[in-house]
């Protein structure tokens, strides 16, 4: 990947809407000769008073996040023809995302998937809708992809 190319950022999780957002971002990255960055975040545990339990939980969460990143990277690579950049951070999700956007000036678009279930669109989309900044002090465009969008529909859009 060229050092000077813009990058799309997708936050990795186990949700179906993440996969939809990833497919959209991979198609857009391919069509516009951009890169793609996948961010997985391990949120700090609340078991600090039980250090052994906390460390075990952190290690398991790191293994799961690494497996998830690898799986999603394979999906993106199948679309783009190149492996995306993979980043794993331990922090609160919004802080990790904002810090990464601040640190990497090549990240130019955040792509989020909106859940279609009755439980709401998801925490990041909800925060965005409520006017809470997601990108720190460096504002970038945010694309919200409906979770129920089919691959055929995404192909038509991209």
């Amino acid at each position: 990947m060229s050092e000077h190319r813009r990058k799309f950022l997708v936050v990795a999780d186990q949700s179906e809407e993440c996969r939809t957002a990833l497919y959209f971002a991979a198609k857009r990255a391919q069509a516009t000769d951009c890169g793609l960055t996948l961010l997985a975040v391990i949120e700090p545990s609340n078991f600090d008073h039980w250090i052994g339990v906390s460390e075990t939980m952190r290690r398991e969460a790191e293994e799961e996040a690494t497996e998830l990143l690898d799986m999603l990277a394979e999906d993106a690579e199948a679309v783009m023809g190149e492996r995306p950049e993979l980043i794993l951070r331990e922090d609160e999700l919004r802080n990790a995302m904002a810090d990464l956007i601040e640190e990497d000036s090549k990240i130019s678009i955040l792509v989020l998937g909106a859940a279609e279930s009755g439980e709401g669109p998801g925490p990041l989309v909800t925060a965005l809708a409520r006017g809470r900044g997601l990108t720190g002090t460096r504002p970038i465009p945010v694309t919200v992809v409906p979770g129920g969008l089919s691959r055929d529909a995404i192909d038509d859009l991209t």
Side-chain angles (χ1 to χ4, degrees), residues 49-108:
H49 54 283
W50 293 341
I51 292 177
V53 171
S54 180
E55 182 58 30
T56 299
M57 289 175 63
R58 190 196 63 71
R59 194 171 41 253
E60 289 173 357
E62 185 175 337
E63 288 172 9
E64 288 175 18
T66 300
E67 288 174 15
L68 174 65
L69 281 172
D70 286 338
M71 182 177 57
L72 294 174
E74 288 176 14
D75 293 348
E77 188 173 8
V79 173
M80 299 172 53
E82 68 181 68
R83 193 157 176 89
E85 176 182 24
L86 306 178
I87 297 178
L88 177 61
R89 298 259 172 114
E90 186 171 350
D91 200 349
E92 298 293 327
L93 177 57
R94 287 176 56 195
N95 293 342
M97 190 172 52
D99 288 348
L100 178 59
I101 291 168
E102 288 290 324
E103 295 164 14
D104 189 343
S105 64
K106 302 295 184 253
I107 294 174
S108 58

Side-chain angles (χ1 to χ4, degrees), residues 120-143:
L124 294 177
V125 175
T126 299
L128 181 66
R130 291 183 177 154
R132 296 187 191 134
L134 295 178
T135 62
T137 59
R138 188 171 74 83
I140 62 171
V142 179
T143 300

